[in-house]
Amino acid sequence: MGLLIQRLEDENLVQQVQLQLIVEKTNLDTWKDGATEVDEHIKAPPLFYLQALHSQLKDVHNKLAAQSQRNEVVLAHLYSTELAINEIAFSQVPIITNHSSLKQLKRLCACVESAKSWFEVFSTVPPLDYIGFPFSIFSQLVHCLATLYRLSTLNDPAWDKNGVKETADLLLILDQVINSMERVATLAGLDNNGSIEGDVFSRTAKKFRSIRLQWKANLGPDDLMVSTIPTPLNANETPLPEAFPLDFPDNDWMMDFLLDPNY
């Protein structure tokens, strides 16, 4: 029995490494940043390159063992990788409604679906299990939130922001994340008495509340919704840093804010 468990853990680790290798390919400067010294006319990955990445992702997915297909960490890596591939479509924003960019529009819609799938997996995890999760999962959490915010506020005539909300409501999802983070201390019996900062999950929930306030203000009137969680009296004790990018807080900015003990 012990050998079987070890084998499954090894298989899960191998699959996570394979998925991470695919993610690294999406970060190649040649493809992601546009023009290069080799060919200044290259502005985005050709279709065959995206197809190749999706083919590699599909290959990893098809090889998942039955147990791995129920493993939240593996599934989170899978959908995070899928999101990273589809996000290459952001290299050609704004959208122009021609044959080429219709494919880009399809990729942006796929980004929404990937983020939605990621949060569906995350929502099945009991908050108590967050304590044993690898840091990569929380990095993916930030990534998915930041991407959903960008998609929810993308101003382009060809883009349906209401469709984004109907598929994956950013503020509702963030409420659920905050609620789960706030439950960890109680469920795990963490003692925050005598601690000004509190445990990492409580601090993260408080910072997410501050981000939510700004995001709600940045969304248009038609996008506002009533929060599903109560607002504590001290909700404003964690202000956003002055340099926080209000137009689009990317992964690095959000991670710095969440991890900085000075906020």
Side-chain angles (χ1 to χ4, degrees):
M1 184 65 179
L3 291 176
L4 177 60
I5 294 176
Q6 182 62 49
R7 179 183 175 184
L8 291 175
E9 291 178 348
D10 291 343
E11 290 179 354
N12 290 342
L13 182 58
V14 169
Q15 290 154 355
Q16 292 173 48
V17 171
Q18 291 174 336
L19 291 169
Q20 182 57 38
L21 289 175
I22 297 176
V23 171
E24 291 177 0
K25 292 178 183 178
T26 68
N27 291 328
L28 290 176
D29 292 339
T30 301
W31 302 107
K32 191 168 184 179
D33 294 339
T36 67
E37 294 180 359
V38 177
D39 186 349
E40 62 180 7
H41 300 295
I42 296 178
K43 296 182 179 180
L47 181 60
F48 77 86
Y49 185 73
L50 288 174
Q51 290 176 333
L53 293 176
H54 275 290
S55 177
Q56 294 174 32
L57 178 63
K58 184 178 181 180
D59 185 54
V60 174
H61 191 184
N62 290 339
K63 292 180 179 179
L64 291 181
Q67 292 82 355
S68 297
Q69 295 178 16
R70 296 190 297 270
N71 183 284
E72 295 90 348
V73 173
V74 174
L75 289 176
H77 276 78
L78 180 73
Y79 292 122
S80 180
T81 303
E82 183 180 79
L83 176 59
I85 296 173
N86 291 321
E87 275 184 316
I88 296 177
F90 278 124
S91 64
Q92 284 187 318
V93 172
I95 306 165
I96 301 175
T97 51
N98 54 34
H99 178 70
S100 176
S101 57
L102 284 178
K103 296 175 182 178
Q104 176 203 9
L105 189 61
K106 181 179 178 181
R107 295 297 180 190
L108 292 176
C109 291
C111 285
V112 180
E113 292 292 343
S114 299
K116 175 187 176 183
S117 297
W118 192 94
F119 281 111
E120 286 176 345
V121 172
F122 188 75
S123 68
T124 65
V125 180
L128 185 59
D129 291 351
Y130 293 177
I131 294 177
F133 264 16
F135 179 79
S136 58
I137 296 299
F138 297 102
S139 178
Q140 292 170 18
L141 168 64
V142 169
H143 178 200
C144 290
L145 286 173
T147 299
L148 270 184
Y149 175 80
R150 187 176 186 182
L151 292 165
S152 299
T153 57
L154 178 59
N155 291 318
D156 189 290
W159 183 242
D160 182 12
K161 291 190 291 184
N162 289 329
V164 177
K165 180 180 177 182
E166 291 173 0
T167 303
D169 193 313
L170 172 64
L171 296 182
L172 179 59
I173 288 174
L174 188 50
D175 280 347
Q176 294 169 342
V177 171
I178 293 171
N179 182 62
S180 295
M181 290 288 179
E182 290 179 334
R183 294 174 57 200
V184 175
T186 300
L187 294 173
L190 301 179
D191 185 7
N192 289 321
N193 292 330
S195 172
I196 298 178
E197 296 180 353
D199 64 275
V200 63
F201 301 101
S202 299
R203 294 199 307 271
T204 299
K206 184 181 294 185
K207 292 180 180 182
F208 272 142
R209 281 186 179 276
S210 297
I211 292 174
R212 188 192 189 282
L213 288 174
Q214 184 61 58
W215 282 1
K216 180 179 178 180
N218 290 350
L219 291 171
D222 293 337
D223 299 314
L224 298 182
M225 59 162 286
V226 178
S227 177
T228 59
I229 57 178
T231 301
L233 296 177
N234 61 350
N236 295 323
E237 288 185 358
T238 307
L240 291 174
E242 293 182 1
F244 194 84
L246 302 182
D247 54 344
F248 175 52
D250 59 23
N251 299 353
D252 292 339
W253 272 104
M254 288 186 67
M255 288 304 296
D256 288 345
F257 174 57
L258 293 173
L259 296 176
D260 194 332
N262 297 320
Y263 293 108

